[in-house]
Amino acid sequence: MSVFYQHLLKIVGKKMSKNTNFVFMSTGLFEHLSETEAYVFSFVSYFACDEQKGKLFKRSTISLCNNLGYSPNTIRSAINSLVEKKFLEHAEKPANKTNNLKYSYIEEVSHHLTIGTHEFAKEFSSELAELLYGLRGAKKLTKRPLKNVFFKVYVTALQASKKGEKWKRNQSRHLHKVLVLHGFLHNKSKWNDKYVKTPLALSVPYLSTMMQWSRSTVRRVINTLVELGFVSLKLDTKKVVFTRVKMAEKVRAGYTALRSTLVKAQYATFIPTQVTKVRNDGLKRPGASATPAEHSAFLAAMKSKHSC
């Protein structure tokens, strides 16, 4: 097993928690699937590729909703699409061997899914199974290099903090993209910090090609990552240098706006506040790149001075 995957086994932990905190995705996944399909397929394949779980996924629609932060209609639509693309297949439901009504109901409402016949789906699930085998402390790990670079996407960051709380459709789609890119950057940044010893620097065209998103979408996602406090960055001539990538926590505040341009003045960490004018009353008016808090403090000071 390569040094990269030995490192990955250390940083991903031993297993998913009882309430799944993350799904495994890979860089090649988005050449075949939308991010919604990728979320559902990654979650299903974690169970459907595992010998210990019978290579069968058996969960209800509401279970998928609770873990992935999507609506029931979105989950059902994604499963239908994945079956059409042959990434998943419906499995036959087992015969009811008990009169327990609760057990019978769970079997009836649950999706029974297995990995489909699509070549990439089989490759992804096979390599994910090897990765899971290593996570459980297996003594014999594969020596062959894996084709896919796996990374964790923290799905619980979008889970509602109270009953009945929901994201609007456009907000949900954008924030799910945010968590996908965050997962890739977090994994890549840890690798760089340990082995390369330089900050992670990636171009927008590179991320656009890898994620199969438009360049405008990539910029919007990066801006939201900054606004949510998940990344710190500075802008190079051709690349975005990610100086820090933090662990994703609960995403409840959302974002204020979508920006398609990476503007340096947005990032107060790297661009100092400019002071453009000193008034006759001795107060310094904040510059164009000043924060809302600085403008508010200036207005309060001006009001106080003129009320005396």
Side-chain angles (χ1 to χ4, degrees):
M1 178 171 283
S2 67
V3 175
F4 177 84
Y5 284 100
Q6 290 174 3
H7 170 70
L8 180 60
L9 293 181
K10 293 178 182 178
I11 67 173
V12 296
K14 291 298 181 183
K15 60 182 179 179
M16 284 189 179
S17 66
K18 185 176 180 180
N19 298 315
T20 309
N21 291 321
F22 58 87
V23 294
F24 288 101
M25 292 192 184
S26 75
T27 49
L29 199 57
F30 306 98
E31 295 178 16
H32 307 277
L33 304 177
S34 68
E35 72 273 0
T36 303
E37 293 168 340
Y39 269 99
V40 175
F41 176 71
S42 298
F43 187 81
V44 170
S45 63
Y46 174 81
F47 300 93
C49 74
D50 195 345
E51 289 279 3
Q52 292 190 7
K53 296 176 176 63
K55 289 196 170 183
L56 176 69
F57 174 85
K58 185 178 69 174
R59 293 284 188 92
S60 65
T61 297
I62 196 63
S63 174
L64 282 157
C65 293
N66 291 338
N67 280 282
L68 300 180
Y70 285 117
S71 70
N73 286 340
T74 300
I75 292 294
R76 295 187 192 100
S77 177
I79 290 175
N80 290 338
S81 179
L82 288 166
V83 170
E84 289 178 6
K85 291 182 176 182
K86 300 188 183 303
F87 267 69
L88 295 175
E89 290 181 351
H90 290 293
E92 186 175 347
K93 296 181 180 180
N96 185 14
K97 298 179 180 180
T98 177
N99 292 325
N100 188 317
L101 294 178
K102 181 179 179 181
Y103 175 82
S104 177
Y105 173 75
I106 293 173
E107 288 289 345
E108 187 64 31
V109 301
S110 293
H111 297 281
H112 291 67
L113 299 166
T114 59
I115 302 299
T117 58
H118 192 286
E119 285 302 316
F120 183 82
K122 293 191 293 185
E123 176 185 288
F124 178 94
S125 60
S126 174
E127 294 192 344
L128 179 57
E130 291 185 43
L131 185 63
L132 296 175
Y133 188 66
L135 291 178
R136 298 192 178 100
K139 294 181 180 179
K140 295 182 180 180
L141 299 175
T142 179
K143 297 295 183 181
R144 71 179 182 89
L146 302 182
K147 293 181 181 179
N148 294 282
V149 177
F150 288 92
F151 55 90
K152 292 188 299 182
V153 178
Y154 292 89
V155 291
T156 51
L158 281 176
Q159 289 180 1
S161 58
K162 57 185 178 182
K163 190 175 181 179
E165 185 177 22
K166 293 181 180 180
W167 290 108
K168 294 180 180 178
R169 183 180 180 187
N170 288 341
Q171 288 177 319
S172 175
R173 292 182 65 179
H174 179 69
L175 289 173
H176 275 89
K177 285 184 171 72
V178 167
L179 290 184
V180 170
L181 185 56
H182 169 270
F184 172 75
L185 295 176
H186 189 260
N187 183 70
K188 191 81 170 173
S189 178
K190 278 185 170 289
W191 169 261
N192 274 30
D193 289 346
K194 186 166 185 177
Y195 295 104
V196 184
K197 306 297 183 183
T198 59
L200 176 63
L202 300 168
S203 68
V204 170
Y206 169 81
L207 292 172
S208 173
T209 301
M210 189 194 74
M211 294 296 182
Q212 296 293 296
W213 300 338
S214 70
R215 296 184 183 185
S216 293
T217 297
V218 170
R219 295 187 190 99
R220 292 187 192 108
V221 171
I222 291 174
N223 285 332
T224 300
L225 282 168
V226 173
E227 184 176 346
L228 294 174
F230 288 168
V231 303
S232 299
L233 56 80
K234 59 183 179 182
L235 303 179
D236 204 340
T237 52
K238 293 184 178 180
K239 294 184 177 181
V240 180
V241 182
F242 297 92
T243 56
R244 186 184 182 191
V245 183
K246 297 171 60 179
M247 181 71 75
E249 298 176 356
K250 291 289 184 183
V251 182
R252 304 318 309 159
Y255 53 90
T256 57
L258 297 180
R259 302 179 181 88
S260 300
T261 305
L262 295 174
V263 182
K264 288 186 178 182
Q266 293 178 17
Y267 310 120
T269 304
F270 306 103
I271 307 298
T273 300
Q274 299 175 2
V275 177
T276 59
K277 183 178 180 181
V278 178
R279 294 162 52 90
N280 294 332
D281 53 15
L283 295 176
K284 294 182 179 180
R285 182 185 295 276
S289 61
T291 64
E294 289 173 314
H295 283 291
S296 178
F298 167 74
L299 291 174
M302 186 174 66
K303 182 178 180 181
S304 175
K305 195 172 186 68
H306 288 283
S307 63
C308 295

